[in-house]
Every structure is written in structure tokens, then in C-alpha cells.
Amino acid sequence: MPNALQLTGVSKSFDGFKALSDASFTVKWGEVHALLGENGAGKSSLMNIAAGLYAPETGELLIDDNKVQLKGPADAARERIGMVHQHFKLVKPFSVAENILLGLPRSDGSHRKRLRETERLIAEKAEQIGFSIDPKKTVADLSIAEQQRVEILKVLLAGAKILILDEPTAVLTDQEGERLLSTVQGLARQGAAVILVTHRMADVKRFADRVTVMRGGRTVETLDPQQVSIADLVKLTVGESLPAPAHARSEPGPALLSVRGLKSPEIGGRRILDGIDLSLRGGEIYGIAGVGGNGQSELANVLMGLPEPSEGEIALEGFGDLRTADMDQRRDLRIAAIPADRYGLALAGGLSIAENFAIGQVHSGRYGPFWLLREGRAREETQAAVERFDVQGVRNVRQKAALLSGGNAQKLVIAREFSREPRIVLAHSPSRGLDVRAGAAVHQRLLAARDSGAAVLLISEDLDEVLALADRIGVMSAGKIVAEFERPADRQAIGKAMVDHV
């Protein structure tokens, strides 16, 4: 049987930076082939070439062992290649069905008729996969996890036979991720070819037939995941073993942030936030676990100061109602915010790395008056922060932030937010889509903030992340905290609380 997709001798540069150097990758029909590597290793660049988004400078791309040239995503789609990107490609004001309709071949009939047919197809495919998606719902009203499901449905309904999934389970619960990967594994067994770009070693071990490791833009090795341990996979990926997060801590202090009876307006007979009660204590990480779409994003938005109408109490010790604080006051109060959508809410990709870092201190006058900024000092401090927080891929702090890989973009966000020792840390899915090294670096920063006396709120749909870091865990369902657990928490009990209240 011919290979489904083969890339050989591929090189690609961006702004003088060699992202790929003689890289190669082959996936066969009927297999799930995992692609591992640190953020910035070249995985996404290689897969973007396979999806027709980038043109290689050198190298060949073969489909069914026949050489092809992809001039764009439309050519890739005609070759039945579909990619689900880590950072979503959705039109937020459109409905789920309208977004998916954009990716389907043009057919006869009115727009309304085609939309109804698309809604029917979505319902059928969602039921087959086990997703819960309302085809008529606006994408802007969906959680990050729900948006990921829409992306997956969009590719499947477009008829792709070569599926490239970039971190497909990063924002799914254990049960959802297992169901999804079982589904795509089934598609492979039916003859499709699946490329799984992931950082979850357990997923590789359980669902991948082969795994290729990349480092520094080059292909390191391809092997059978059943013949290698997770520890060896980690070592191949990062070049060394990584320490486990430390858990020792002193007794937590008093509550620094108290949320009482937090509710959002009633819409259609229900509230997205329906009476949230929780307290964040100094020297403690409070983790929120739950199935996506149960109000986690809305809670994060309210606490981070994004416009979300709400009633109830959000009391910051020594200040009062946090909702009355503007962004400058939040900086002065040493509140660090790490949103789930780092490119949409935390960074301006079109601005430089220095501008993204310095903007957190412009209001304070640190760099002079806003009409005569001391850009040299801003660049110097940015460079120091880049080195201190190990932000890789920075050739010059004047380069655009959009050129950073996901993990390094997250490190830049954390460098800015932690530039002054935070008192409150609000983190929503802080390691989503990051490789093991970048994820470990984020976790160490959260633990260090806790150990320095900060109150840390960790909202994550990755239960492993919550269990690894949280001192107390609240389970969120239907817009409220339905159960709380002290460390060490029982995974099965948490999972039961998550599904019993859905």
C-alpha cells in the first residue's frame, strides 16, 4: 500500500530563522502517527506545509507516493488533507453551522437550505463522536473546549482522509479526549491516515501506531511507541529528564479574594454563572476542574476584568469590589492574568515583543510619559525578561510577537504578568498546547508564586494539571462549584462530581 503523505528534505525559514532543516515525515494509510517535539521544534511549520499554508524552500511532498505541489489550502483540501489547528480558525460572530459551511464544497440550493443541511450533518457527526454541540449557537458564545470541537467537526465534515490534528485533546477532559482519539483511531482503521501532533505522552502510548520526534527543526527519530517508555519519549523530546512539580508548602494565609453568589444574567431560563462561591487564600493554588462549557470561561472573564455582566460579590482584601478596578488599578494591585486565549486576549501579534512586554508598565510612567516613551529602556528590560523566563525564538525584541511559538508566547505573557511579584494570579488553561518543558516552566512559575504568598486560581480542563498543582480543587458544573476536595484528591471522586452534575 502506498504512503498516504510523505515529506522529505524539507527546509523553511522565517525572517532569517531556520524553522525547518532537512526535515522528513511519513504517515501511512490506516495508521495514527504521532508527532512530538518542543514548542518551536518545527512540528507546526512542517504540518502547515503539508496543509498547503506554507511553501517549502527545499524538499518534496508526496501523496500516495506521487509528487504534488500545494499552492494553498484549497489544493490540500482537494487532496483530502484537513488540518485542525491549535489556534482556532473560526469566525466568532458566525454560528457553528455557518463556520462549518464555509469549509464545505459549494452545492445547489439556497443558503438557508444548505445551512439546514449542514446543521443536520453536524448533529449526526457530533452524536457519532460523542460531542455536545448546538449547530445554531454563535462561536463567540462557546467555550475554548467547544470551539475545539467545532474545528474537529469542520475537518471531518469536509471529507478529509489525511487528518492533521494539532493538540486535539489539549482542552478536553479525560473522557472527551479518550472518546475523540478512539474515534480518530477508528477512522484510521477504516483506511484514513491520522497525524496526531500532541504533547500528551499517554495519548501517544495508547493511540499511536508510530511516533516521530522533532528537535530544532530536524527529524530526530521515528519509532514504535510500544517499544519505548514515557520517560524515554520525554528525554527524546526535550533532551533531558524534567523534575516533577514540588508540592511542599506552608499553611495558607487568609483569603485575599472572595467570590460570593456570583451570577450572570438569566438567558433562556438559565444562567451561565449560577451562584459561584469560592475563596482564594494566600500561599495556595485553588484549582477548578470541570467539563468545558460549564461557565469556566465566563468566570475567568469576570475575574480578569473582561466585560461580563454579573451580580454578587468579588471582594479583594484591602480594596473592595474587584469589578470596579480598571486595568491600570489591577496592575497596581499586582494582579496577574493569564487567559486561555493567549493570542486573542493576552498578546497583540502585530506588535513587537518589547511592546507586548512594556505595555503592562506604560501606565506607571516607568518608561516616561506616553507621548515620549523611553523605548531603549523598554527594550533592555524586555531582553532581560526574555532571558530570565527562557523565551526561545527571540532574535530581536523588535520582532513581532506573532512569530513566537505557542509555548514561547505563553512564556512572554508570564514574563510580563510576573514582572512585578504578583499578589493574585488568575490562570486559565496556562499550559494548553505547550510541550512538556514549556508546561513544566509554567507550572514552576505558578508554584513559585504560591510559595511567595500569592493566591493562585488555576482554571483548567486538563485534570492532570489540576491534580498536579492544586492544593484545593473545586469542581465546576452548570455554573457553580458543586464539590470541593483537599489535596491529595481522589481522581475518581473528582471525575464523578464532574459528570454527576452535568
Side-chain angles (χ1 to χ4, degrees):
M1 180 179 290
N3 293 315
L5 173 69
Q6 185 175 10
L7 298 116
T8 58
V10 176
S11 297
K12 181 68 177 178
S13 298
F14 297 97
D15 193 25
F17 172 71
K18 199 79 168 178
L20 294 170
S21 181
D22 196 31
S24 61
F25 179 86
T26 302
V27 60
K28 300 176 180 179
W29 293 113
E31 77 168 353
V32 177
H33 194 140
L35 184 58
L36 287 176
E38 293 189 86
N39 291 105
K43 308 182 307 298
S44 293
S45 295
L46 189 62
M47 290 301 102
N48 281 330
I49 287 173
L53 291 168
Y54 298 158
E57 293 162 2
T58 65
E60 292 184 341
L61 188 152
L62 293 86
I63 298 174
D64 283 329
D65 291 341
N66 296 312
K67 184 178 178 180
V68 298
Q69 282 190 327
L70 303 179
K71 296 181 180 179
D75 284 352
R78 281 190 286 272
E79 297 289 350
R80 306 194 76 179
I81 299 172
M83 182 170 180
V84 177
H85 297 268
Q86 178 182 342
H87 301 291
F88 311 137
K89 312 293 182 182
L90 299 173
V91 183
K92 291 193 175 181
F94 285 13
S95 71
V96 170
E98 287 168 333
N99 269 277
I100 290 177
L101 183 58
L102 289 172
L104 298 180
R106 181 75 185 182
S107 60
D108 295 333
S110 67
H111 175 73
R112 181 176 296 180
K113 180 180 178 182
R114 294 172 64 223
L115 193 60
R116 284 201 302 267
E117 176 64 13
T118 302
E119 290 171 353
R120 183 188 67 80
L121 292 172
I122 292 169
E124 287 181 358
K125 182 62 72 173
E127 182 179 1
Q128 176 187 339
I129 296 175
F131 284 170
S132 176
I133 289 288
D134 180 356
K136 298 180 180 180
K137 198 169 183 179
T138 302
V139 165
D141 295 330
L142 299 179
S143 69
I144 294 293
E146 290 171 316
Q147 291 180 39
Q148 177 77 311
R149 296 169 200 157
V150 175
E151 288 281 22
I152 293 167
L153 286 168
K154 184 170 67 174
V155 169
L156 292 176
L157 288 172
K161 292 290 288 181
I162 299 174
L163 305 178
I164 305 170
L165 306 178
D166 193 356
E167 298 292 343
T169 64
V171 293
L172 303 181
T173 64
D174 290 354
Q175 295 86 350
E176 291 169 328
E178 184 170 329
R179 189 183 303 123
L180 170 65
L181 293 180
S182 294
T183 298
V184 298
Q185 188 180 56
L187 293 172
R189 298 298 177 259
Q190 295 168 23
V194 178
I195 302 169
L196 180 63
V197 182
T198 183
H199 297 113
R200 293 189 172 185
M201 302 294 176
D203 288 349
V204 173
K205 291 284 288 182
R206 181 163 183 182
F207 293 101
D209 301 297
R210 288 192 297 162
V211 56
T212 292
V213 179
M214 292 187 70
R215 192 188 309 152
R218 297 177 179 272
T219 303
V220 175
E221 191 170 352
T222 297
L223 61 162
D224 181 348
Q226 302 310 315
Q227 302 301 317
V228 62
S229 68
I230 288 180
D232 287 338
L233 280 176
V234 170
K235 190 171 183 179
L236 275 173
T237 302
V238 303
E240 59 188 39
S241 299
L242 296 172
H247 300 302
R249 64 168 181 132
S250 58
E251 283 299 310
L256 299 183
L257 186 68
S258 299
V259 179
R260 294 290 177 265
L262 186 64
K263 296 181 180 181
S264 56
E266 188 172 301
I267 301 175
R270 66 180 292 268
R271 299 177 188 269
I272 297 177
L273 299 177
D274 195 18
I276 295 286
D277 293 313
L278 62 89
S279 294
L280 302 185
R281 302 185 299 209
E284 177 184 66
I285 297 178
Y286 186 98
I288 291 183
V291 177
N294 277 277
Q296 296 97 318
S297 294
E298 291 75 14
L299 174 62
N301 288 347
V302 172
L303 296 179
M304 292 182 189
L306 296 173
E308 288 277 356
S310 61
E311 59 185 75
E313 181 182 54
I314 306 177
L316 178 64
E317 191 271 332
F319 177 81
D321 189 348
L322 185 59
R323 286 169 296 187
T324 67
D326 60 27
M327 290 303 168
D328 289 350
Q329 288 175 301
R330 286 171 171 267
R331 293 284 179 193
D332 293 336
L333 291 167
R334 293 163 40 217
I335 297 174
I338 307 170
D341 185 357
R342 64 184 73 105
Y343 286 108
L345 297 175
L347 294 173
L351 296 183
S352 71
I353 290 171
E355 288 167 330
N356 273 280
F357 176 81
I359 199 167
Q361 293 282 2
V362 167
H363 77 283
S364 69
R366 182 175 184 84
Y367 306 117
F370 68 87
W371 64 85
L372 190 64
L373 293 176
R374 298 170 59 187
E375 296 182 8
R377 180 176 183 179
R379 287 194 292 267
E380 288 176 5
E381 293 192 356
T382 303
Q383 184 62 48
V386 162
E387 294 171 4
R388 187 167 68 254
F389 285 80
D390 191 32
V391 185
Q392 300 291 317
V394 179
R395 297 170 297 287
N396 189 305
V397 295
R398 293 187 179 93
Q399 78 185 54
K400 291 183 178 181
L403 295 177
L404 293 175
S405 67
N408 289 305
Q410 188 74 314
K411 288 180 184 179
L412 177 59
V413 173
I414 291 173
R416 182 188 65 214
E417 296 300 306
F418 284 37
S419 58
R420 289 189 296 179
E421 189 173 286
R423 185 183 182 217
I424 305 285
V425 178
L426 307 172
H428 187 191
S429 302
S431 64
R432 179 174 68 90
L434 305 191
D435 61 60
V436 288
R437 186 196 297 273
V442 170
H443 291 171
Q444 292 298 336
R445 291 291 176 183
L446 296 179
L447 289 165
R450 178 204 69 180
D451 294 343
S452 69
V456 180
L457 177 67
L458 170 65
I459 302 174
S460 178
E461 289 155 29
D462 182 347
L463 186 52
D464 288 330
E465 181 171 51
V466 174
L467 287 169
L469 298 178
D471 303 300
R472 278 192 302 145
I473 298 173
V475 175
M476 193 166 176
S477 181
K480 62 181 67 175
I481 303 295
V482 297
E484 280 195 345
F485 301 86
E486 295 280 345
R487 185 180 188 89
D490 180 79
R491 185 189 190 97
Q492 297 303 317
I494 293 173
K496 188 173 187 299
M498 289 166 60
V499 299
D500 280 356
H501 294 84
V502 172

